[in-house]
Amino acid sequence: MFKVAEKFISINGESRRAGELAVFIRFTGCNLNCTYCDTAWAIPLEAPHEEMSEQALLDYIKETGIDNVTLTGGEPLLQPEIENLVVDIISLNKRVEIETNGAVSIKSMKELADKLNLRDELSITLDYKCPGSGMEKFMLMENYDELREYDTVKFVVSDGNDLDKAREIIEKYGLIDRRVAAYLSPVFGDIEPSEIVEYMISHRMNGVTHQLQQHKFIWDPDKRGV
């Protein structure tokens, strides 16, 4: 059984399919506690949730008629049987994006993609928790060996120090040369988007993408289920 904090249809607010419709499955339970977390209510494993079987989740996803499926949290890779769920969602001719916090291994997902010869049917959006998050020390840097060209590394930045760290990681692991997408996203309300753009210009950050969390501009930033 899966502990589902919420499920809903919206647009992808960020990452490669930003602006496209997606069905979101948010699980409870996270092993981090970032200073800026906007879903802190879902961190405890026993946060308010409904118990759903894999079949119930598959039925819900089919009923939505939406092609993109985003598994998020909490931390989705902490869910037991998550690999089986991913395989079965893809078997419905859906694309699966897993939003993961960077402190859990993605190796099993890379192995799954290799085994089934998956391309963009499965993509990982891997967070790098910059210093402002308070969680940088928990980052598993071996994850960067497992990234594919269909994956994304997301840096949520709150200040110039975070921007410096993001640039360091992008360059150190050759993300752009490896065709791994690299996204810079502001901590909502802490840094002006223009400051990020100016930083990108000053450092000639070719191939890096600036993004805004679209759902926070369309709806109230604290609204759930969007």
Side-chain angles (χ1 to χ4, degrees), residues 23-219:
V23 53
F24 288 80
I25 308 295
R26 184 183 306 284
F27 302 105
T28 63
C30 186
N31 56 329
L32 298 183
N33 187 12
C34 298
T35 57
Y36 51 73
C37 182
D38 54 8
T39 54
W41 55 272
I43 289 176
L45 185 62
E46 295 304 323
H49 66 275
E50 59 179 313
E51 299 271 349
M52 295 188 69
S53 67
E54 178 180 312
Q55 190 57 55
L57 278 172
L58 294 173
D59 289 344
Y60 169 72
I61 290 166
K62 283 191 289 188
E63 290 167 3
T64 67
I66 302 299
D67 291 337
N68 297 320
V69 179
T70 299
L71 304 180
T72 187
E75 172 48 57
L77 293 182
L78 294 178
Q79 292 290 316
E81 305 299 323
I82 192 68
E83 294 173 33
N84 291 339
L85 178 63
V86 168
V87 170
D88 289 340
I89 294 173
I90 291 172
S91 73
L92 300 176
N93 293 319
K94 307 296 184 182
R95 291 185 294 263
V96 174
E97 176 193 358
I98 298 175
E99 294 185 339
T100 182
N101 64 22
V104 180
S105 175
I106 65 170
K107 185 175 182 179
S108 64
M109 289 299 155
K110 168 65 159 52
E111 292 174 344
L112 181 65
D114 290 344
K115 178 181 178 181
L116 299 181
N117 196 30
L118 300 175
R119 297 171 68 83
D120 68 347
E121 300 97 330
L122 174 61
S123 63
I124 298 291
T125 296
L126 178 74
D127 272 17
Y128 184 88
K129 302 300 185 184
C130 292
S133 71
M135 296 288 116
E136 186 182 18
K137 64 183 179 181
F138 297 109
M139 295 296 92
L140 292 181
M141 302 316 296
E142 55 264 36
N143 277 336
Y144 288 77
D145 295 328
E146 310 296 340
L147 292 167
R148 304 182 302 140
E149 63 181 296
Y150 308 104
D151 298 329
T152 298
V153 179
K154 182 179 70 175
F155 302 88
V156 179
V157 298
S158 58
D159 55 25
N161 190 37
D162 283 357
L163 284 165
D164 286 341
K165 176 57 71 169
R167 182 165 59 92
E168 175 188 324
I169 297 298
I170 291 167
E171 293 176 355
K172 180 176 180 178
Y173 292 94
L175 299 183
I176 304 307
D177 289 343
R178 293 166 57 196
R179 299 177 66 185
V180 176
Y183 284 72
L184 300 177
S185 180
V187 175
F188 193 82
D190 279 7
I191 185 172
E192 289 298 323
S194 59
E195 185 177 340
I196 298 175
V197 176
E198 290 163 4
Y199 184 94
M200 292 171 67
I201 293 170
S202 66
H203 293 282
R204 299 298 189 262
M205 296 179 72
N206 294 302
V208 176
T209 300
H210 176 280
Q211 68 170 2
L212 300 174
Q213 293 175 296
Q214 294 188 29
H215 51 289
K216 291 189 176 181
F217 291 87
I218 298 172
W219 297 282

